[in-house]
Amino acid sequence: PAVTVARLERVQDLCCPPRFGPNDDNYLTVRDGSLWLHSIASGSERKLVDDVLTADWAWGGRAIVFTRQGEGPAAEVWLLDQGTDQARRIGETLNPTRFVFDACGRLAVAAGDGFYLLDPTSGERSALPLVQARSPGSQEWTELAFSPDGRHVAALEGTALSIVDLERQGKILVSDGIDPRRWGAFAWSGDGGQLAYATISQERTPALWLVNADGSGAQRILARGEGGVFAGLAWLPGTRFIVYQFVPGGNVATLQAEYQVVSADGGAPTTLFENGLGLNLAHNGKVISFVRDLPGAEETGYWMAVLSYFTTS
């Protein structure tokens, strides 16, 4: 197989999903209210700041965005400069659940008080053109994926997946058959030319599709006739390979989950490993973090799968 798993290892004392940084080796976690920077290679860690609720990497890895408890139910949004270790407050929001950064440094915030863009420099809020703002508190909410070149954004609004051209202010419906419970099941290719996405038909048949950035050329590259759902997917950088998590029968039991890889040009998928929940791919595409829940404390917790493959770029 062109993509293989070099090793599987359990990550000790990890309380929440790691947030991988642009450095191939580093990731962030929040533990006991403090933000920590970890090294995969050495296993070392360094505490960055205290009184932290959530955190993620900002554009280019030059900064880290994190939240602190504000007045009442509000949360303060802060930016930590990696070069100076100085933190500054850039805004306030209600129950933030998701931060998404694009290639131009724009920060999209999904929170209890709405969905909007936040300027990290000025702290000003603005709407994202042609995207309906639905907060995570609603039954069907909005999820985004900016293309690597920053020109397009894929927006999942309930069960409808669309591509918005931010330069030309245009919007094209890609599919209205997305399972709203699996909002992470779409991802851009490394060059931003194609979007991979998973659908679920009325007959509950899950399928994996590709479409060009302008909304043309939609083609199905994989279907699973036995039912189930694609619970997440990612495009391996510098390749034509798409890695995904598939749960047969739609069961969320981690024992049944399959982590597979398939070529965007078609062909049979290859199973990388089984048993897990969640798919968080490092920026370099060589590490997947996931959760296992098995009998016995030595198996339960966060794991990492280190991948081995060749890139073409």
Side-chain angles (χ1 to χ4, degrees):
V3 182
T4 59
V5 176
R7 68 178 188 276
L8 284 169
E9 59 183 57
R10 181 172 177 261
V11 184
Q12 300 290 336
D13 302 324
L14 203 60
C15 64
C16 54
R19 298 297 186 183
F20 292 107
N23 184 313
D24 295 349
D25 178 53
N26 293 337
Y27 64 91
L28 298 171
T29 58
V30 177
R31 186 175 72 244
D32 298 327
S34 298
L35 178 62
W36 295 81
L37 180 65
H38 296 258
S39 168
I40 297 175
S42 66
S44 63
E45 62 179 13
R46 179 169 68 94
K47 186 166 72 171
L48 300 178
V49 290
D50 293 316
D51 302 323
V52 174
L53 297 176
T54 60
D56 207 343
W57 292 92
W59 172 59
R62 294 197 298 264
I64 295 169
V65 65
F66 64 94
T67 60
R68 284 174 166 161
Q69 185 61 53
E71 295 292 333
E76 298 178 347
V77 184
W78 289 69
L79 208 64
L80 176 66
D81 190 306
Q82 278 280 277
T84 64
D85 280 343
Q86 297 297 310
R88 59 181 175 87
R89 183 179 180 275
I90 62 172
E92 188 175 78
T93 188
L94 182 66
N95 300 325
T97 60
R98 188 84 166 91
F99 295 112
V100 182
F101 298 91
D102 76 348
C104 302
R106 290 168 293 200
L107 169 60
V109 181
D113 56 351
F115 185 92
Y116 52 86
L117 292 175
L118 178 65
D119 188 321
T121 302
S122 65
E124 294 182 356
R125 295 189 185 193
S126 60
L128 186 63
L130 304 177
V131 177
Q132 183 173 351
R134 298 177 179 175
S135 71
S138 62
Q139 187 174 3
E140 294 183 345
W141 58 290
T142 305
E143 175 66 10
L144 300 179
F146 287 96
S147 62
D149 58 9
R151 174 173 175 174
H152 298 92
V153 59
L156 177 60
E157 302 159 290
T159 61
L161 178 65
S162 301
I163 293 177
V164 176
D165 188 324
L166 298 175
E167 290 186 4
R168 297 183 178 181
Q169 299 290 291
K171 183 176 182 179
I172 298 175
L173 177 66
V174 172
S175 173
D176 59 1
I178 310 296
D179 189 333
R181 299 169 300 168
R182 310 296 177 182
W183 44 262
F186 57 100
W188 288 98
S189 61
D191 61 2
Q194 289 184 301
L195 180 73
Y197 61 99
T199 62
I200 188 77
S201 69
Q202 293 183 350
E203 294 76 26
R204 309 301 299 174
T205 300
L208 186 62
W209 294 73
L210 288 182
V211 65
N212 295 327
D214 62 1
S216 67
Q219 57 178 317
R220 191 179 71 178
I221 62 171
L222 180 64
R224 297 290 297 259
E226 72 275 22
V229 293
F230 291 89
L233 61 89
W235 207 300
L236 298 182
T239 77
R240 293 286 293 167
F241 291 110
I242 300 167
V243 62
Y244 59 87
Q245 180 195 7
F246 185 80
V247 185
N251 194 322
V252 297
T254 61
L255 287 170
Q256 299 182 16
E258 304 167 358
Y259 288 77
Q260 297 185 323
V261 63
V262 67
S263 171
D265 300 315
T270 298
T271 298
L272 298 174
F273 60 95
E274 298 178 345
N275 186 358
L277 188 65
L279 194 160
N280 185 16
L281 183 69
H283 291 266
N284 68 341
K286 294 300 180 74
V287 182
I288 296 173
S289 74
F290 60 99
V291 179
R292 277 181 169 170
D293 186 9
L294 297 175
E298 69 282 357
E299 296 288 344
T300 299
Y302 283 93
W303 286 67
M304 290 191 182
V306 179
L307 305 182
S308 175
Y309 59 89
F310 293 101
T311 64
T312 57
S313 62

